[in-house]
Structures are given as C-alpha cells and as structure tokens.
Coordinates of all heavy atoms in Angstrom, one line a residue:
T1 N 91.4 158.4 68.8 CA 90.3 157.5 68.7 C 90.7 156.0 68.9 O 91.6 155.7 68.3 CB 89.6 157.6 67.4 OG1 89.2 159.0 67.2 CG2 88.4 156.7 67.3
V2 N 90.1 155.3 69.8 CA 90.4 153.9 70.1 C 89.7 153.1 69.0 O 88.5 153.3 68.8 CB 90.0 153.6 71.5 CG1 90.3 152.1 71.6 CG2 90.8 154.4 72.4
M3 N 90.4 152.2 68.4 CA 89.8 151.4 67.4 C 89.7 150.0 68.0 O 90.6 149.5 68.6 CB 90.7 151.3 66.1 CG 90.8 152.6 65.4 SD 89.3 153.2 64.9 CE 88.9 152.1 63.5
F4 N 88.5 149.3 67.9 CA 88.3 148.0 68.2 C 88.3 147.1 67.2 O 87.7 147.3 66.1 CB 87.1 147.9 69.1 CG 87.0 148.7 70.4 CD1 86.3 149.8 70.5 CD2 87.8 148.3 71.5 CE1 86.2 150.5 71.6 CE2 87.8 149.0 72.7 CZ 87.1 150.1 72.8
K5 N 88.9 145.8 67.4 CA 88.7 144.8 66.4 C 87.4 144.2 66.4 O 86.9 143.9 67.5 CB 89.8 143.7 66.6 CG 91.1 144.2 66.3 CD 92.1 142.9 66.4 CE 93.6 143.3 66.2 NZ 94.5 142.3 66.3
R6 N 86.7 143.9 65.3 CA 85.5 143.3 65.3 C 85.7 141.8 65.6 O 86.4 141.1 65.0 CB 84.8 143.4 64.0 CG 84.3 144.8 63.7 CD 83.3 144.9 62.7 NE 82.8 146.2 62.5 CZ 81.7 146.7 63.0 NH1 81.0 146.0 63.7 NH2 81.4 147.9 62.8
A7 N 85.0 141.3 66.7 CA 85.1 139.9 67.0 C 83.7 139.5 67.4 O 82.9 140.3 68.1 CB 86.1 139.8 68.2
A8 N 83.4 138.2 67.1 CA 82.1 137.7 67.5 C 82.2 137.6 69.0 O 83.1 137.4 69.7 CB 82.0 136.3 66.9
V9 N 80.9 137.8 69.6 CA 80.8 137.5 71.1 C 81.1 136.1 71.5 O 80.5 135.2 70.9 CB 79.4 138.0 71.5 CG1 79.3 137.7 73.0 CG2 79.1 139.4 71.2
P10 N 82.1 135.9 72.3 CA 82.4 134.5 72.7 C 81.4 133.8 73.4 O 80.6 134.3 74.2 CB 83.7 134.7 73.5 CG 83.5 136.0 74.1 CD 82.8 136.8 73.0
T11 N 81.3 132.4 73.3 CA 80.3 131.7 74.1 C 81.0 130.6 74.8 O 80.5 130.0 75.6 CB 79.3 131.1 73.2 OG1 79.8 130.3 72.2 CG2 78.4 132.1 72.6
T12 N 82.3 130.3 74.4 CA 83.0 129.2 75.1 C 84.5 129.7 75.4 O 84.9 130.7 74.8 CB 83.1 127.9 74.3 OG1 83.9 128.3 73.1 CG2 81.8 127.4 73.9
E13 N 85.2 128.9 76.2 CA 86.6 129.2 76.4 C 87.4 129.3 75.2 O 88.4 130.1 75.0 CB 87.2 128.3 77.4 CG 86.7 128.6 78.9 CD 87.3 127.6 79.9 OE1 88.5 127.5 79.8 OE2 86.6 127.1 80.7
S14 N 87.1 128.2 74.3 CA 87.9 128.1 73.1 C 87.7 129.4 72.2 O 88.6 129.8 71.4 CB 87.7 126.9 72.4 OG 86.3 126.9 72.0
D15 N 86.6 130.1 72.3 CA 86.3 131.3 71.5 C 87.2 132.4 72.0 O 87.5 133.3 71.2 CB 84.8 131.7 71.7 CG 83.9 130.7 71.0 OD1 84.3 130.0 70.1 OD2 82.6 130.9 71.4
I16 N 87.5 132.4 73.3 CA 88.4 133.5 73.8 C 89.9 133.2 73.8 O 90.7 134.2 74.0 CB 87.9 134.0 75.1 CG1 88.1 132.9 76.2 CG2 86.5 134.6 75.2 CD1 87.7 133.3 77.6
A17 N 90.2 132.0 73.5 CA 91.6 131.6 73.6 C 92.7 132.4 72.7 O 93.7 132.8 73.1 CB 91.8 130.2 73.3
N18 N 92.1 132.9 71.5 CA 93.0 133.7 70.6 C 92.6 135.1 70.5 O 93.0 135.8 69.6 CB 93.0 133.0 69.2 CG 93.7 131.6 69.3 OD1 94.7 131.5 70.0 ND2 93.0 130.6 68.8
L19 N 91.7 135.6 71.4 CA 91.3 137.0 71.4 C 92.3 137.9 72.1 O 92.8 137.5 73.1 CB 89.9 137.1 72.0 CG 88.7 136.7 71.1 CD1 87.4 136.9 72.1 CD2 88.6 137.5 69.9
D20 N 92.6 139.0 71.5 CA 93.3 140.0 72.3 C 92.3 140.9 72.9 O 91.8 141.8 72.4 CB 94.2 140.8 71.3 CG 95.1 141.8 72.0 OD1 94.9 142.1 73.3 OD2 96.0 142.5 71.3
L21 N 92.1 140.6 74.2 CA 91.1 141.4 75.0 C 91.4 142.8 75.2 O 90.6 143.5 75.7 CB 90.8 140.6 76.3 CG 90.3 139.1 76.1 CD1 90.2 138.5 77.5 CD2 89.0 139.2 75.4
N22 N 92.6 143.2 74.9 CA 93.0 144.7 75.0 C 92.3 145.5 73.9 O 92.3 146.8 73.9 CB 94.4 144.8 75.0 CG 95.1 144.3 76.3 OD1 94.6 144.7 77.3 ND2 96.0 143.4 76.1
V23 N 91.9 144.8 72.8 CA 91.5 145.7 71.6 C 90.0 145.3 71.2 O 89.7 145.7 70.0 CB 92.5 145.5 70.3 CG1 93.8 146.1 70.8 CG2 92.6 144.0 69.9
V24 N 89.3 144.5 71.9 CA 88.0 144.1 71.5 C 86.9 145.1 72.1 O 87.4 145.8 73.0 CB 87.6 142.6 71.8 CG1 88.5 141.7 71.0 CG2 87.8 142.5 73.3
S25 N 85.6 144.9 71.7 CA 84.6 145.9 72.2 C 84.4 145.5 73.6 O 84.8 144.4 74.2 CB 83.4 145.6 71.4 OG 82.9 144.4 71.5
D26 N 83.7 146.4 74.4 CA 83.4 146.3 75.7 C 82.5 145.0 75.8 O 82.6 144.2 76.9 CB 82.7 147.4 76.3 CG 83.7 148.6 76.6 OD1 84.9 148.3 76.7 OD2 83.2 149.7 76.8
E27 N 81.6 144.9 75.0 CA 80.7 143.7 75.0 C 81.4 142.4 74.9 O 81.2 141.5 75.7 CB 79.6 143.8 73.8 CG 78.7 142.6 73.8 CD 77.8 142.6 72.6 OE1 78.1 143.3 71.5 OE2 76.8 141.8 72.6
V28 N 82.4 142.3 74.0 CA 83.1 141.0 73.8 C 84.0 140.9 75.1 O 84.1 139.8 75.7 CB 84.0 141.1 72.6 CG1 85.0 139.9 72.5 CG2 83.0 141.1 71.3
N29 N 84.5 141.9 75.6 CA 85.4 141.8 76.8 C 84.6 141.4 78.0 O 85.1 140.5 78.7 CB 86.1 143.2 77.0 CG 87.4 143.1 77.9 OD1 87.7 142.0 78.3 ND2 88.1 144.1 77.9
Q30 N 83.5 142.0 78.2 CA 82.6 141.6 79.4 C 82.2 140.0 79.3 O 82.1 139.5 80.3 CB 81.6 142.5 79.5 CG 82.0 144.0 80.0 CD 82.7 143.9 81.3 OE1 82.4 143.2 82.3 NE2 83.8 144.6 81.3
T31 N 81.8 139.7 78.1 CA 81.4 138.3 78.0 C 82.5 137.3 78.2 O 82.4 136.3 78.9 CB 80.8 138.1 76.5 OG1 79.7 139.1 76.3 CG2 80.3 136.7 76.3
A32 N 83.7 137.7 77.7 CA 84.9 136.8 77.9 C 85.2 136.8 79.4 O 85.5 135.7 79.9 CB 86.1 137.4 77.1
K33 N 85.1 137.9 80.1 CA 85.3 138.0 81.5 C 84.4 137.1 82.2 O 84.8 136.3 83.2 CB 85.3 139.4 82.1 CG 85.6 139.5 83.6 CD 85.7 140.9 84.0 CE 86.0 141.2 85.4 NZ 86.3 140.0 86.2
R34 N 83.1 137.1 81.9 CA 82.1 136.2 82.7 C 82.4 134.8 82.4 O 82.3 133.9 83.3 CB 80.7 136.4 82.1 CG 80.1 137.7 82.7 CD 78.6 137.8 82.4 NE 78.3 138.0 81.0 CZ 78.3 139.2 80.4 NH1 78.6 140.3 81.0 NH2 78.0 139.3 79.1
I35 N 82.9 134.4 81.1 CA 83.3 132.9 80.8 C 84.4 132.6 81.8 O 84.5 131.5 82.4 CB 83.6 132.8 79.4 CG1 82.2 132.9 78.5 CG2 84.2 131.3 79.0 CD1 82.5 133.1 77.1
M36 N 85.5 133.4 81.8 CA 86.7 133.1 82.6 C 86.4 133.1 84.1 O 86.8 132.3 84.7 CB 87.7 134.2 82.4 CG 88.3 134.1 81.0 SD 89.7 135.2 80.6 CE 88.9 136.8 80.6
D37 N 85.5 134.0 84.6 CA 85.0 134.0 86.0 C 84.3 132.7 86.3 O 84.6 132.2 87.4 CB 84.2 135.2 86.3 CG 85.0 136.5 86.5 OD1 86.2 136.5 86.6 OD2 84.3 137.6 86.4
S38 N 83.5 132.2 85.4 CA 82.8 131.0 85.7 C 83.7 129.8 85.8 O 83.6 128.9 86.7 CB 81.8 130.7 84.5 OG 81.2 129.6 84.6
R39 N 84.7 129.8 84.9 CA 85.7 128.6 85.0 C 86.5 128.8 86.3 O 86.8 127.8 86.9 CB 86.7 128.7 83.8 CG 87.8 127.8 83.8 CD 87.4 126.4 83.3 NE 88.6 125.5 83.5 CZ 89.2 125.1 82.4 NH1 89.1 125.6 81.3 NH2 90.2 124.2 82.7
F40 N 86.9 130.0 86.7 CA 87.7 130.1 87.9 C 86.9 129.7 89.1 O 87.4 128.9 89.9 CB 88.0 131.6 88.0 CG 88.7 131.9 89.3 CD1 90.0 131.7 89.5 CD2 88.0 132.4 90.5 CE1 90.6 131.9 90.8 CE2 88.6 132.7 91.7 CZ 89.9 132.4 91.9
E41 N 85.6 130.1 89.1 CA 84.7 129.6 90.3 C 84.6 128.1 90.4 O 84.6 127.6 91.5 CB 83.4 130.4 90.3 CG 83.5 131.9 90.7 CD 84.0 132.1 92.1 OE1 83.8 131.3 93.0 OE2 84.8 133.1 92.2
A42 N 84.5 127.5 89.2 CA 84.3 126.1 89.2 C 85.5 125.3 89.7 O 85.4 124.3 90.2 CB 84.0 125.6 87.8
N43 N 86.7 125.9 89.4 CA 88.0 125.3 89.8 C 88.6 125.7 91.2 O 89.6 125.2 91.6 CB 89.0 125.5 88.7 CG 88.6 124.8 87.5 OD1 88.3 123.6 87.5 ND2 88.8 125.4 86.3
R44 N 88.0 126.8 91.8 CA 88.6 127.4 92.9 C 88.4 126.5 94.2 O 87.4 125.9 94.3 CB 87.9 128.7 93.2 CG 88.5 129.4 94.5 CD 87.9 130.8 94.6 NE 86.5 130.7 95.0 CZ 86.0 131.6 95.8 NH1 86.7 132.5 96.4 NH2 84.7 131.5 96.1
L45 N 89.5 126.2 95.0 CA 89.4 125.5 96.1 C 89.2 126.4 97.3 O 89.9 127.4 97.4 CB 90.6 124.6 96.3 CG 90.9 123.5 95.3 CD1 92.2 122.9 95.6 CD2 89.7 122.5 95.4
K46 N 88.2 126.2 98.2 CA 87.9 127.0 99.3 C 88.2 126.2 100.5 O 88.3 124.9 100.5 CB 86.4 127.4 99.3 CG 86.1 128.2 98.1 CD 84.6 128.5 98.0 CE 83.8 127.5 97.4 NZ 83.6 127.2 96.2
P47 N 88.4 126.9 101.7 CA 88.7 126.1 103.0 C 87.5 125.1 103.1 O 86.4 125.4 102.9 CB 88.7 127.3 104.1 CG 88.9 128.4 103.3 CD 88.4 128.3 102.0
G48 N 87.9 124.0 103.5 CA 87.0 122.8 103.7 C 86.9 122.0 102.5 O 86.4 120.7 102.6
D49 N 87.3 122.4 101.2 CA 87.4 121.6 100.1 C 88.6 120.6 100.1 O 89.6 120.9 100.7 CB 87.6 122.4 98.8 CG 86.3 123.2 98.5 OD1 85.2 122.9 99.1 OD2 86.3 124.1 97.7
E50 N 88.4 119.4 99.6 CA 89.4 118.4 99.4 C 90.6 119.0 98.6 O 90.3 119.6 97.6 CB 88.9 117.2 98.9 CG 90.0 116.1 98.9 CD 89.4 114.9 98.3 OE1 88.2 114.5 98.3 OE2 90.3 114.0 97.8
G51 N 91.8 119.0 99.2 CA 92.9 119.5 98.4 C 93.2 120.9 98.6 O 94.3 121.4 98.1
Y52 N 92.5 121.6 99.5 CA 92.7 123.0 99.8 C 94.0 123.1 100.7 O 94.2 122.3 101.6 CB 91.6 123.5 100.6 CG 91.8 125.0 101.1 CD1 91.7 126.1 100.2 CD2 92.2 125.3 102.4 CE1 92.0 127.4 100.6 CE2 92.5 126.5 102.8 CZ 92.3 127.6 101.9 OH 92.5 128.9 102.3
V53 N 94.9 124.0 100.3 CA 96.1 124.2 101.1 C 96.1 125.7 101.4 O 96.2 126.6 100.4 CB 97.3 123.8 100.4 CG1 98.6 124.1 101.1 CG2 97.3 122.3 100.0
W54 N 96.3 126.1 102.7 CA 96.4 127.4 103.0 C 97.8 128.0 102.7 O 98.9 127.2 103.0 CB 96.1 127.7 104.5 CG 96.3 129.1 105.0 CD1 97.5 129.5 105.7 CD2 95.5 130.2 104.8 NE1 97.3 130.9 106.0 CE2 96.2 131.3 105.4 CE3 94.4 130.4 104.1 CZ2 95.7 132.6 105.4 CZ3 93.9 131.7 104.1 CH2 94.5 132.8 104.7
D55 N 98.0 129.1 102.1 CA 99.3 129.7 101.8 C 100.2 128.8 101.0 O 101.4 128.6 101.4 CB 100.0 130.2 103.1 CG 101.1 131.2 102.9 OD1 101.0 131.9 101.9 OD2 101.9 131.4 103.8
K56 N 99.7 128.2 100.0 CA 100.5 127.3 99.1 C 101.7 128.0 98.5 O 101.4 129.1 97.8 CB 99.6 126.6 98.1 CG 100.2 125.6 97.4 CD 99.2 124.9 96.4 CE 99.9 123.8 95.6 NZ 98.9 123.2 94.7
A57 N 102.8 127.4 98.5 CA 103.9 128.0 97.8 C 104.4 127.1 96.7 O 104.4 125.8 96.9 CB 105.2 128.2 98.7
V58 N 104.6 127.6 95.5 CA 105.1 126.8 94.4 C 106.4 127.3 93.8 O 106.6 128.5 93.6 CB 103.9 126.8 93.3 CG1 104.4 126.0 92.0 CG2 102.6 126.4 93.8
E59 N 107.2 126.3 93.6 CA 108.5 126.7 92.9 C 108.3 126.6 91.4 O 107.8 125.6 90.9 CB 109.7 125.8 93.3 CG 110.1 125.9 94.7 CD 110.8 127.2 95.0 OE1 111.5 127.7 94.1 OE2 110.6 127.7 96.1
F60 N 108.6 127.6 90.6 CA 108.5 127.6 89.2 C 109.9 127.4 88.5 O 110.9 127.9 89.0 CB 107.9 128.9 88.7 CG 106.5 129.1 89.1 CD1 106.1 129.8 90.2 CD2 105.5 128.5 88.3 CE1 104.8 130.0 90.7 CE2 104.2 128.6 88.7 CZ 103.8 129.3 89.9
E61 N 109.9 126.8 87.3 CA 111.2 126.6 86.6 C 111.5 127.9 86.0 O 110.6 128.8 85.8 CB 111.0 125.6 85.5 CG 110.6 124.2 85.9 CD 110.4 123.2 84.7 OE1 110.7 123.6 83.7 OE2 109.8 122.2 85.0
K62 N 112.8 128.1 85.7 CA 113.3 129.3 85.0 C 112.6 129.3 83.5 O 112.5 128.2 83.0 CB 114.8 129.3 84.8 CG 115.5 129.5 86.3 CD 116.9 129.7 86.1 CE 117.6 129.9 87.4 NZ 118.0 131.1 87.7
P63 N 112.3 130.5 83.1 CA 111.6 130.6 81.8 C 112.5 130.1 80.7 O 113.7 130.2 80.8 CB 111.3 132.1 81.7 CG 112.1 132.8 82.7 CD 112.4 131.9 83.7
S64 N 111.9 129.5 79.7 CA 112.7 129.0 78.6 C 112.9 129.9 77.4 O 113.6 129.8 76.5 CB 112.0 127.7 78.0 OG 110.7 128.1 77.6
E65 N 112.2 131.2 77.6 CA 112.3 132.2 76.6 C 112.5 133.6 77.2 O 112.1 133.7 78.4 CB 111.2 132.1 75.6 CG 109.9 132.3 76.2 CD 108.7 132.1 75.2 OE1 108.6 131.0 74.6 OE2 107.9 133.0 75.1
V66 N 113.0 134.5 76.5 CA 113.2 135.9 77.1 C 111.8 136.5 77.1 O 111.0 136.5 76.2 CB 114.1 136.7 76.1 CG1 114.3 138.0 76.6 CG2 115.5 136.0 76.1
A67 N 111.6 137.3 78.2 CA 110.3 138.1 78.3 C 110.8 139.4 78.6 O 111.0 139.9 79.7 CB 109.4 137.5 79.4
E68 N 110.9 140.3 77.5 CA 111.5 141.6 77.7 C 110.6 142.5 78.6 O 111.0 143.3 79.3 CB 111.6 142.2 76.3 CG 112.6 141.7 75.5 CD 112.6 142.3 74.0 OE1 112.1 143.3 73.9 OE2 113.3 141.7 73.3
W69 N 109.3 142.2 78.7 CA 108.4 143.0 79.4 C 108.6 142.7 81.0 O 108.3 143.5 81.9 CB 106.9 142.6 79.3 CG 106.6 141.2 79.3 CD1 106.7 140.3 78.4 CD2 106.3 140.4 80.6 NE1 106.4 138.9 78.9 CE2 106.1 139.2 80.3 CE3 106.1 140.9 81.9 CZ2 105.8 138.1 81.3 CZ3 105.8 140.0 82.9 CH2 105.7 138.6 82.6
D70 N 109.4 141.7 81.3 CA 109.7 141.3 82.7 C 111.1 141.9 83.1 O 111.5 141.5 84.2 CB 109.6 139.8 82.9 CG 109.4 139.4 84.2 OD1 108.9 140.2 85.1 OD2 109.8 138.3 84.6
E71 N 111.7 142.6 82.3 CA 113.0 143.2 82.7 C 112.9 144.3 83.7 O 111.9 145.1 83.7 CB 113.8 143.8 81.4 CG 114.0 142.7 80.3 CD 115.1 141.7 80.7 OE1 116.1 142.1 81.3 OE2 114.9 140.4 80.5
E72 N 113.9 144.5 84.5 CA 113.9 145.7 85.3 C 114.0 146.9 84.6 O 114.5 147.0 83.5 CB 115.2 145.5 86.2 CG 115.1 144.5 87.3 CD 114.1 144.7 88.4 OE1 114.0 146.0 88.8 OE2 113.6 143.8 89.0
S73 N 113.2 147.9 85.0 CA 113.2 149.2 84.2 C 113.1 150.3 85.2 O 112.6 150.3 86.3 CB 112.0 149.2 83.3 OG 111.8 150.5 82.8
D74 N 113.7 151.5 84.8 CA 113.7 152.8 85.6 C 112.5 153.5 85.2 O 112.2 154.6 85.6 CB 114.8 153.6 85.4 CG 116.1 152.9 85.9 OD1 116.0 152.1 86.9 OD2 117.3 153.2 85.5
E75 N 111.7 153.1 84.2 CA 110.5 153.8 83.7 C 109.5 154.1 84.8 O 108.9 155.2 84.8 CB 109.8 152.9 82.6 CG 108.5 153.6 82.1 CD 107.9 152.8 81.0 OE1 108.5 151.8 80.6 OE2 106.9 153.3 80.4
Y76 N 109.2 153.2 85.7 CA 108.4 153.5 86.9 C 109.2 153.4 88.2 O 109.0 152.5 88.9 CB 107.3 152.5 87.0 CG 106.4 152.4 85.6 CD1 106.5 151.4 84.7 CD2 105.5 153.6 85.4 CE1 105.8 151.5 83.5 CE2 104.7 153.6 84.3 CZ 105.0 152.6 83.3 OH 104.2 152.6 82.2
D77 N 110.0 154.4 88.4 CA 110.8 154.4 89.6 C 110.0 155.1 90.7 O 109.9 156.2 90.7 CB 112.2 155.1 89.3 CG 113.2 155.0 90.4 OD1 113.1 154.1 91.1 OD2 114.0 155.9 90.5
F78 N 109.5 154.2 91.6 CA 108.7 154.8 92.7 C 109.6 155.1 93.9 O 110.3 154.6 94.5 CB 107.6 153.8 93.1 CG 106.7 153.5 92.1 CD1 106.7 152.4 91.3 CD2 105.7 154.5 91.7 CE1 105.8 152.1 90.3 CE2 104.8 154.3 90.7 CZ 104.8 153.1 90.0

C-alpha cells in the first residue's frame, strides 16, 4: 500500500518549494505540476524572442558536495 503525505493543495510556487512530490496525493502533484508548467511557459524563450539562442551550451562548475545518486553504477547495465 502506498501512503501519501497529507499536504494542502498548493496555490503558489512557494507552496510547492518544500513539498516532496514523490509522496503527495495525485491532486497535490497535478496542481503543483500546473504551477510549474505555468512558470516554465512564462520564462521560456522561443525562436524570435529577444535573447533566444539555438543550441545553447553552458559550462557548469564542479559540484561542491557529493551526490551519491550521480555515481556510476552497474545496477542498470544496458
């Protein structure tokens, strides 16, 4: 049986900032997704928009902390 944490349905981005969306109800998860999709669409640059760059490449700094989930693993050896 999957147990969901009771969480209020979010209405703003700050409401979803500290939610673990892996363990909330479908209603809370879908509402949070709609909020995030809305923010994404508002910030997305499309061809023709000022500042749009096709195939933009970004160099990232090395991480400052260990991320064990990002380690090489034989668990999924394809």
Side-chain angles (χ1 to χ4, degrees):
T1 304
V2 175
M3 299 296 291
F4 295 108
K5 288 185 180 179
R6 290 199 177 265
V9 176
T11 57
T12 65
E13 287 182 48
S14 60
D15 290 343
I16 62 175
N18 294 314
L19 284 179
D20 181 349
L21 297 176
N22 291 308
V23 296
V24 296
S25 70
D26 286 343
E27 177 186 17
V28 170
N29 202 348
Q30 290 302 314
T31 302
K33 183 172 177 12
R34 280 193 294 277
I35 292 169
M36 290 185 288
D37 284 347
S38 175
R39 171 79 184 261
F40 174 81
E41 287 300 325
N43 292 316
R44 181 171 72 141
L45 294 176
K46 298 176 273 279
D49 290 345
E50 183 178 334
Y52 175 81
V53 177
W54 175 258
D55 199 21
K56 183 175 183 175
V58 178
E59 293 288 328
F60 292 95
E61 296 178 14
K62 292 190 183 247
S64 59
E65 56 188 55
V66 176
E68 293 176 11
W69 57 267
D70 199 22
E71 297 288 322
E72 290 287 328
S73 171
D74 293 336
E75 182 177 352
Y76 301 105
D77 191 21
F78 295 105

